[in-house]
Structure formats: structure tokens, C-alpha cells
Amino acid sequence: MAGIRFLGVNLADGVKRHHLIAYFIAVLISSGYAGAMSILQPGLLQVIGIDYKSQAQITGMLGALQEVIFIIMLAIYGVFADRIGRRYVYTFGLLTTAIGFALYGTSTSITELIVYRVIVAFGSGAMVGMMVTVIADYANNESRGKANGLQGVVATFGAFIPPILATLPNTFVQSGYSEAAAQQATFAIAGCMGVIGAIVVFFGLSKVAGTVVRASNESLSKQLKLGAAEAKAPKVALSYGAAFISRGDLAVTGAFMGLWLVQFGTANMNLSASEAMNTLAVPAIMMVVLGALIGSLLMGWVSDKISRVRAVTCASGLAAVIYCAMFFVSDPTQSWVLGLLLVMGIAEISAFVSSQALVGESAPAKRRGAVIGFFGVAGAVGILFATAGGGALFAEYGPSTPFVVFGLFNFIVFLWSWKVNPASNDDTSSSLASQQELISQGES
């Protein structure tokens, strides 16, 4: 029976229109969570009474802690998604993230911040992993690019949720709340967002798509081993490399573009931090977001017109040029830099969309959750390197350095992609996985 076509996407068997709508609602909330902590946490640290120097150290430590948990858990969540279904893992992720956010606002010490951030990290790992896995299940291969492009558009709109949440503490204070109570109320509202998402996911996602019959009969260690074996396939390996750069690109831009502009404005233009944020950083961020909206639709269309490997080639090549071009920026407030940031937004989201389309196409259906889990691990490593390593590069060698380094990484993936045959079916990994399964069965 022919599948349903909706919003330009040919849906897989068993997937209905309302399933895709429910998924996009979940993406909106999930992507809103992605940037919420970074924008809400500074106010909470101030209320707790942590000094400025310690705030920076704690922020870096908490961010690194979350990425380490991501790296450990993403592959495991992928395996469980193959064992029990995407719906349950996604619901767990949203609910756990919601609980973590609600508790985070009640923190009164560094110890509590760490404990509650760990809860958020465990939930976010499941949430982010399933956000990528479900769209790979829902779209037929011929429209996988459009599906990931639409996901990118929805995720970009989700990026507007954190700034909205950031306005709430001041609103609550003006209504008579104490600063601490205002923080608690804001984080509680952020938590409610996840509860709504969990309800939508549990009742709205397909109960058919993404289920694997034999996975429940395999041990966790065996599934992890077989999922890792899929990296022998050239396309799967390339998708892991593309995940590293695409997540790293997003992290570099998000972490350092605003910081560069605020520092430049306060040091060279006699602006206060808030003035620099409003007059310099916000327009720059909005230009990147505009580029991301354009790039999501553009790369979604391109990924269905050419091979997914060549889509990665185009995206990584463009990102390599744009990120390396930041080397020539000495004054980030010049008008031409806004144009560069527009193209940067197109480049970074193109790398994101094309990498997801490639892994969705390349991952074997019965190992899709595990393979996309490892894909998420590669992305988490990219974010960790971009934030931790990029911070040191920014401080020691100049604000453009993190951008240039990831430009070079993009160039490496660009060259790598030319060596991958777009027409290959990646039989190598499937054959290897099958051999390992036979060996395991013989041993048992």
C-alpha cells in the first residue's frame, strides 16, 4: 500500500499525518530546551550568590558534565529505542528533562546545581537522540531531505522559546515575586513545557514505525557491539564525521559570536554589557537564525535532488569557506559581517540537515536506533570540543580562532566526502554485523 504524502514528505508505512504533526510539536519543545539552560542559568547563579569568576567556571563545568553524560548515554538510548520503541524513550527524555528543569530553579548550592543538571542531562540525551531517530523512521528515503529540512525549520522556531522564557523572571519580579521565587517560577514553567511534550509524544507518535522485532531478544552489549560495527560502512562513518562538525559549528556560533560582540562593544565602544547585547549581539544572532531558516528549506530540497553524500559535500564545503573567512574579521560590528553571518546560518544548518539525512538513509532499519545513537555521540563530542576547546582558543589566540578551527574540520569532512561513493549500499557493515550475529548465536 502506498504511503501518505504530507507537507511534501512521503511518509513510511504506518505513519499518519497526525503522527508527523505530533513529532514536530515535540521537536519545537525539544529544540526549545536545547538553548534554555544557557540563557536561564546566569540569572539563577546570580540569585544563588555565586561570584562572577566562579560563575564562569561553574558554567563551563556544568556544560562539560552534560556533554560527557550525552556521550555515554546516547548510544545506550539508541539501543533501548530499538528494544522498546522510540515513543517510550522520547517520553522518558521529555519527562526527565522537565523534572530536571523544575528542580533546577530551586537550587541553593553548587551541589544541587550539579545533581539537577545531571537529571537534565540524562533526559536531554534521550530527547535529542529520539528527535533525530524518529524523523529517520517517518520519512521514506526519496523525501528524507525534505523531512529533515522541515525538522530544521521547526527546530529554528524552537530557538525562539529560550528568549521568551528569559523575559519571565523580570515579569514575575515586577508582579511582586522575590528574585528567587521568580527564578523558581520560570524554571517550573520550563518544566511544564516538557510535560506537555511528553503527553504529545506518548499519545501522538506512531506505535508501528521504528519497532524492531528481534531487538528485544538481544543483550544490550550485543546491540551496542552490532551498532558500533555499522561504522565500518563508509556512509555511516561519514555521517558520524558530519555530525561532529555540524554540532560543533552550531556550538561555536552559539557560544562565541555573542561573547565576541559583547566584549568588543564594552571594550571599544563604551557600551554596557546589556547595551552591547541588545544593539550588537541580538541583530547578529537574528541574522544567523534567518540564515538557518533559509538553509533548512534549501538543504532539505537539495538533499532530495542529489545524493545525500554530495549534500554533505556541499554543506561542509560552504561551512569550511565561511568559518575560515572569520579569520579576516577584526571588527565584528562592520555591516558586511552581518552578511557573512547570514551565510554562516545557511552553512551550519545545511551541515546539520544533510548529516541527519545521510545517517537516516545509511543506518540499517533494524539497527537505526543504535546507529543514530552513535551519531549523537559524535555530535556530542563535537559540541564538547567546540565549547571546552573553543573557549581556550578564544581566550588564548583570539575570538576568530574557534571559527577557523571548525572551518578546517569542515574542510576535512569535505575532502572525506569526495572519497565516499554516493551509489554504494554500505553492504560492508551489514555483512559484518550479520557475521557477528551468527557467531554470537553459535556461541550461545
Side-chain angles (χ1 to χ4, degrees):
M1 183 177 69
I4 297 170
R5 184 174 177 83
F6 182 55
L7 298 177
V9 178
N10 294 327
L11 301 179
D13 291 341
V15 179
K16 309 299 183 185
R17 292 178 178 86
H18 68 272
H19 294 144
L20 187 62
I21 292 172
Y23 167 73
F24 283 146
I25 293 172
V27 169
L28 185 72
I29 293 172
S30 301
S31 57
Y33 270 134
M37 187 61 75
S38 61
I39 198 168
L40 294 180
Q41 183 173 264
L44 180 62
L45 296 179
Q46 188 69 25
V47 168
I48 293 174
I50 299 172
D51 63 87
Y52 286 117
K53 183 176 181 180
S54 297
Q55 284 182 21
Q57 295 171 341
I58 291 168
T59 298
M61 179 267 293
L62 291 172
L65 175 63
Q66 178 160 321
E67 293 308 318
V68 168
I69 293 173
F70 267 40
I71 292 168
I72 295 171
M73 292 304 301
L74 276 168
I76 296 175
Y77 284 137
V79 167
F80 272 105
D82 285 341
R83 292 170 69 92
I84 65 176
R86 313 337 185 189
R87 200 164 52 100
Y88 295 108
V89 178
Y90 208 160
T91 300
F92 166 81
L94 283 162
L95 277 179
T96 305
T97 304
I99 292 169
F101 264 81
L103 291 172
Y104 210 78
T106 68
S107 300
T108 57
S109 67
I110 295 175
T111 300
E112 290 180 340
L113 287 172
I114 293 172
V115 171
Y116 300 150
R117 187 62 173 266
V118 168
I119 295 174
V120 171
F122 273 98
S124 298
M127 178 181 69
V128 172
M130 293 308 98
M131 188 170 69
V132 180
T133 305
V134 171
I135 195 62
D137 292 330
Y138 278 17
N140 283 336
N141 196 52
E142 65 271 13
S143 60
R144 199 175 296 283
K146 293 186 183 71
N148 282 280
L150 286 173
Q151 184 219 44
V153 171
V154 175
T156 302
F157 280 114
F160 289 101
I161 292 176
I164 295 172
L165 290 173
T167 66
L168 296 181
N170 184 56
T171 301
F172 286 130
V173 169
Q174 291 181 349
S175 299
Y177 285 63
S178 68
E179 291 285 350
Q183 291 293 329
Q184 291 175 7
T186 299
F187 275 92
I189 290 172
C192 291
M193 187 171 71
V195 173
I196 294 170
I199 293 171
V200 170
V201 163
F202 188 80
F203 293 103
L205 294 190
S206 171
K207 298 179 182 179
V208 178
T211 56
V212 179
V213 177
R214 292 189 54 200
S216 60
N217 299 323
E218 299 172 347
S219 67
L220 177 63
S221 61
K222 179 181 177 182
Q223 286 186 276
L224 283 171
K225 184 186 297 183
L226 294 174
E230 297 295 341
K232 297 289 185 179
K235 285 186 181 179
V236 174
L238 176 62
S239 75
Y240 291 172
F244 176 89
I245 61 162
S246 65
R247 273 52 171 187
D249 290 347
L250 291 166
V252 163
T253 305
F256 301 118
M257 198 64 234
L259 179 62
W260 187 356
L261 285 161
V262 169
Q263 288 186 354
F264 189 89
T266 54
N268 299 284
M269 302 174 68
N270 295 320
L271 298 176
S272 67
S274 60
E275 289 173 335
M277 178 61 72
N278 288 333
T279 61
L280 301 179
V282 170
I285 293 169
M286 293 303 296
M287 192 61 71
V288 175
V289 170
L290 176 60
L293 283 172
I294 297 170
S296 296
L297 294 171
L298 181 62
M299 184 50 66
W301 179 80
V302 169
S303 293
D304 288 336
K305 295 297 182 183
I306 60 177
S307 73
R308 306 282 151 66
V309 171
R310 289 295 166 256
V312 168
T313 303
C314 294
S316 58
L318 177 62
V321 172
I322 296 303
Y323 277 77
C324 286
M326 295 297 287
F327 175 79
F328 300 101
V329 177
S330 56
D331 179 357
T333 66
Q334 291 182 307
S335 58
W336 66 270
V337 177
L338 288 176
L340 188 64
L341 293 177
L342 176 70
V343 183
M344 181 178 290
I346 295 173
E348 66 180 21
I349 203 66
S350 294
F352 181 84
V353 168
S354 62
S355 67
Q356 287 195 173
L358 178 61
V359 75
E361 174 187 73
S362 305
K366 69 177 297 183
R367 302 288 170 204
R368 184 170 287 150
V371 169
I372 293 181
F374 283 104
F375 174 87
V377 169
V381 173
I383 294 172
L384 182 61
F385 186 89
T387 52
L393 292 171
F394 186 102
E396 295 295 328
Y397 301 103
S400 68
T401 313
F403 296 89
V404 174
V405 168
F406 265 85
L408 295 175
F409 283 147
N410 274 279
F411 184 65
I412 291 171
V413 172
F414 171 77
L415 295 177
W416 178 4
S417 68
W418 278 113
K419 294 186 176 182
V420 176
N421 180 7
S424 67
N425 293 320
D426 282 347
D427 293 325
T428 304
S429 68
S430 298
S431 174
L432 178 58
S434 298
Q435 292 174 17
Q436 291 187 0
E437 289 186 75
L438 290 172
I439 292 170
S440 299
Q441 291 169 3
E443 291 174 347
S444 61

